[in-house]
Amino acid sequence: MTEVAWEQAATLIDLDGKAPLIANIRECARHFAALKPQHQQAARVLLTHPVAREGRKTRTWLLEPEEIAALAAKLREG
C-alpha cells in the first residue's frame, strides 16, 4: 500500500452497522487500536483519496483490517 497522509480525512466504518467515526487517518487508526479483536475484523476505513496497491491496476478507496492495524502499529512506534 502506498503511504497514506495522516491528516487525510477518512471514515472508520463497522460492517456490523455501528456508527462511523469521521476523522483523519490518525484518529481512525487510534480508534481502531482500541477496538476488541472481533470488532477490528469488522472494521474498514473509507478514504477520501484512493491509494495504489501492489499487484492491482486500479487504486482503492478502502483499507482492510490488516492495513489499519499496520497504521496503528506505526502510531505506537512513533
Side-chain angles (χ1 to χ4, degrees), residues 6 26 29-30 32-34 40 68-78:
W6 287 113
R26 177 179 281 110
R30 282 187 185 143
F32 176 86
Q40 287 180 345
I68 308 166
L71 291 173
K74 281 185 181 181
L75 279 177
R76 281 192 304 274
E77 293 169 2

Side-chain angles (χ1 to χ4, degrees), residues 1-64:
M1 176 178 75
T2 307
E3 283 293 316
V4 178
W6 287 113
E7 298 307 318
Q8 179 184 159
T11 304
L12 179 66
I13 57 174
D14 184 326
L15 298 180
D16 290 334
K18 294 185 179 64
L21 170 69
I22 300 170
N24 60 35
I25 292 289
R26 177 179 281 110
E27 292 305 314
C28 288
R30 282 187 185 143
H31 188 77
F32 176 86
L35 296 174
K36 294 179 181 179
Q38 66 267 26
H39 295 135
Q40 287 180 345
Q41 289 306 310
R44 303 293 185 274
V45 170
L46 179 62
L47 302 170
T48 53
H49 301 285
V51 293
R53 303 296 176 102
E54 188 173 322
R56 292 185 68 161
K57 292 181 181 181
T58 60
R59 299 179 299 160
T60 61
W61 297 85
L62 202 65
L63 297 181
E64 298 292 331

